[in-house]
Amino acid sequence: MMRAVSELKGLIDAYGAYRGSSFDERKFRSAFGRKTRENIPHISILGARMGEELYQMVSRSMPCPVKNDSCVGNRTAGEAAPPQGLDFDGLMDWYAAALLGQFPCMRMVDNTGRKQLYNDPALKGIIYHTVKFCDFYSFEYSEIKQKAAVPLLKIESDYTLQSSGQLLTRLEAFAESLSEGDPEHKEKKMNKGYFAGVDSGSTSTDVVILNREKEMIAGIILPTGAGAALGAERALDEALKSAGLTREDIDAVVTTGYGRTAIQFGDKSITEITCHARGAHFLDPEVRTVIDIGGQDSKVIRLDEEGNVVNFVMNDKCAAGTGRFLEMMARTLEMSLDEMSQMGLHHKEDITISSMCTVFAESEVVSLIALNKAPDDIVHGLNKAVAVKTASLLKRVDGQEKYMMTGGVSRNLGLVKTLEEKLGTNLVISESAQLCGALGAALFAMDMVAEQA
């Protein structure tokens, strides 16, 4: 303490000499606010400093207040003003104590005081922010993951809003997992008794219409096309036509997928993470892990026995291991995705594609073609690469049986077989696998009407 006071006085003298000024107690006091750390239910941001734009996105997405407890956000020495009546020495004693009493930085030798941040009884969830290419924060994250008793989401940024769509999906899915209440058991008061779910993906737009008995009376899959909104309009109209209904017959529409926010006719928007979980649980209540290899990203979702999201993970912001990766490889091999899905089942040579980067993997495939390697063998190598990537995501969420695969890639027989061999178990593949997200959205639409009753 005495050393800290001495250092502060030395700083004041040196800075005053440099600036040609002296200590001004009035300005010193005016620099302090009178904020206090309110003990209210909140989400805490821990880890690295978060950019203001991302912080605002997080705040808008969460169901309760968000506190910035990152490495520069939880500085408390500037909050409470110093007591009146202190002389200069007294002020320095007070300020030194305030500085030393802050939450310690994770880089300090003794940072045990940081445990207050994740042991706060008012804490409802933690968003742990890390900086891309910086591994330092992994030490604290690992400890929090083991010891924190609240839901935890790890996100990464470079202080910009790059890949904001994926970040928003992860944040909103995390917020949805924090929501309380189980609408499934509420008494349902229906109007006309039809509910629609629209899943607007990067490749296809899927629509499911359910009746009040939760029977699927329409399931449509159409290419998304150039615009998510137009694709959703077209797909919903096709589903209504298939069911012999009009829009006036639909009590509620829930949208999901990356294009969900662009769709204007939806009554509510829910992330594909939550919708795939709901749809998978409806199709098979024994499923505990959902694998969705989508056109733009891959997701693995852990469920509890009630179908709630326990944990989830998404791939990095690149096409590695996604449907887009397979689409580009099919184009390089001059075959359709349907043709590619039948390949690799009877391979003879065990080829390994060493790079998961789409650009480098394409170069490898071109080289293999030049070496006259059989298409079956090349496709098996690609399937194996995707299976390895998917298995790594499963490990991160502690994937447990039963496993269900959803989305369009579940129709790829060669990939399914390779992934099953990698996991050492069978995957549940429903006839409605590609409609799983839209099905979950339709079920949430039914819940929404019940809640309003």
Side-chain angles (χ1 to χ4, degrees):
M1 180 71 173
M2 294 179 61
R3 173 70 181 275
V5 172
S6 175
E7 292 290 338
L8 284 174
K9 290 180 177 179
L11 175 63
I12 290 171
D13 290 341
Y15 188 71
Y18 170 73
R19 294 292 302 268
S21 60
S22 59
F23 176 75
D24 188 324
E25 181 178 339
R26 183 184 59 81
K27 289 184 177 179
F28 177 78
R29 288 182 173 278
S30 67
F32 295 91
R34 294 191 177 275
K35 298 182 293 182
T36 59
R37 188 176 176 87
E38 298 179 358
N39 190 31
I40 59 174
H42 66 279
I43 307 295
S44 179
I45 297 174
L46 296 178
R49 177 178 67 86
M50 180 179 285
E52 181 62 25
E53 288 180 312
L54 181 54
Y55 175 72
Q56 293 300 327
M57 178 189 288
V58 171
S59 298
R60 289 192 298 267
S61 303
M62 293 302 111
C64 58
V66 175
K67 290 186 178 181
N68 187 355
D69 290 326
S70 65
C71 62
V72 297
N74 60 18
R75 301 300 89 189
T76 56
E79 292 183 352
Q84 297 293 331
L86 296 177
D87 59 13
F88 176 73
D89 288 338
L91 279 175
M92 292 304 101
D93 284 340
W94 172 87
Y95 190 46
L99 289 173
L100 294 173
Q102 295 183 109
F103 288 110
C105 173
M106 68 184 76
R107 293 173 174 82
M108 292 180 177
V109 174
D110 182 7
N111 60 11
T112 54
R114 292 184 63 80
K115 293 180 180 180
Q116 300 173 65
L117 294 170
Y118 58 85
N119 288 330
D120 188 334
L123 189 62
K124 297 301 180 185
I126 297 170
I127 296 174
Y128 199 91
H129 177 242
T130 64
V131 181
K132 194 166 182 63
F133 306 123
C134 180
D135 293 329
F136 188 89
Y137 301 94
S138 60
F139 297 101
E140 182 176 58
Y141 172 75
S142 178
E143 179 179 352
I144 292 175
K145 187 176 181 181
Q146 292 177 12
K147 298 181 179 179
V150 296
L152 171 66
L153 173 68
K154 182 181 180 183
I155 61 175
E156 178 185 77
S157 78
D158 56 1
Y159 298 121
T160 71
L161 282 183
Q162 290 186 16
S163 300
S164 58
Q166 190 187 73
L167 273 175
L168 184 60
T169 295
R170 297 180 67 194
L171 289 168
E172 290 182 347
F174 182 67
E176 289 161 3
S177 72
L178 298 173
S179 299
E180 297 179 356
D182 181 11
E184 182 68 20
H185 302 294
K186 294 182 180 179
E187 182 182 354
K188 295 175 171 55
K189 179 180 178 182
M190 309 301 183
N191 294 320
K192 294 190 176 181
Y194 297 104
F195 314 90
V198 181
D199 184 359
S200 176
S202 60
T203 303
S204 69
T205 298
D206 315 326
V207 177
V208 164
I209 297 178
L210 299 177
N211 61 19
R212 69 182 70 219
E213 285 76 35
K214 298 183 180 180
E215 297 169 334
M216 190 185 302
I217 62 171
I220 295 295
I221 301 170
L222 292 178
T224 296
L230 291 176
E233 291 273 0
R234 188 170 63 251
L236 179 59
D237 288 342
E238 193 67 27
L240 291 169
K241 181 179 177 181
S242 174
L245 301 172
T246 66
R247 294 207 180 188
E248 288 69 30
D249 294 318
I250 304 298
D251 291 339
V253 178
V254 167
T255 61
T256 189
Y258 270 111
R260 64 188 182 278
T261 56
I263 301 171
Q264 299 300 315
F265 59 78
D267 297 296
K268 189 175 182 180
S269 176
I270 298 176
T271 66
E272 58 268 35
I273 303 289
T274 305
C275 286
H276 272 267
R278 182 68 185 279
H281 181 73
F282 179 80
L283 293 170
D284 188 339
E286 294 183 0
V287 166
R288 294 294 175 267
T289 307
V290 180
I291 302 168
D292 175 35
I293 301 178
Q296 191 162 272
D297 58 37
S298 298
K299 315 172 193 71
V300 175
I301 311 164
R302 271 276 316 283
L303 312 180
D304 63 17
E305 62 276 4
E306 300 297 328
N308 300 310
V309 177
V310 175
N311 196 5
F312 69 92
V313 65
M314 299 171 68
N315 69 316
D316 299 326
K317 50 184 180 182
C318 73
T322 68
R324 187 70 68 196
F325 172 84
L326 294 171
E327 182 180 341
M328 294 182 69
M329 295 305 106
R331 190 179 307 160
T332 303
L333 290 164
E334 296 183 348
M335 61 178 66
S336 68
L337 281 172
D338 286 339
E339 291 171 331
M340 187 179 184
S341 69
Q342 303 293 325
M343 305 287 286
L345 293 169
H346 307 291
H347 70 281
K348 295 181 180 179
E349 184 179 351
D350 188 14
I351 290 176
T352 297
I353 306 295
S354 60
S355 176
M356 273 305 298
C357 171
T358 304
V359 176
F360 295 141
E362 185 176 19
S363 298
E364 285 192 58
V365 170
V366 170
S367 298
L368 291 168
I369 293 172
L371 292 172
N372 289 321
K373 297 295 182 180
D376 256 315
D377 297 339
I378 297 175
V379 171
H380 174 68
L382 292 168
N383 289 340
K384 194 166 63 169
V386 175
V388 169
K389 181 74 173 180
T390 305
S392 70
L393 295 179
L394 282 162
K395 186 176 181 180
R396 287 168 60 186
V397 297
D398 189 25
Q400 300 174 6
E401 296 193 53
K402 287 184 174 179
Y403 297 97
M404 174 181 279
M405 191 168 179
T406 63
V409 179
S410 63
R411 298 182 302 170
N412 188 318
L413 301 180
L415 176 56
V416 170
K417 180 182 177 182
T418 306
L419 186 53
E420 287 179 334
E421 291 172 350
K422 180 71 177 175
L423 298 177
T425 187
N426 293 326
L427 298 174
V428 177
I429 309 291
S430 168
E431 292 182 357
S432 303
Q434 192 166 353
L435 293 168
C436 191
L439 172 60
L443 290 167
F444 280 119
M446 182 180 287
D447 291 344
M448 190 174 69
V449 173
E451 291 170 358
Q452 294 171 353

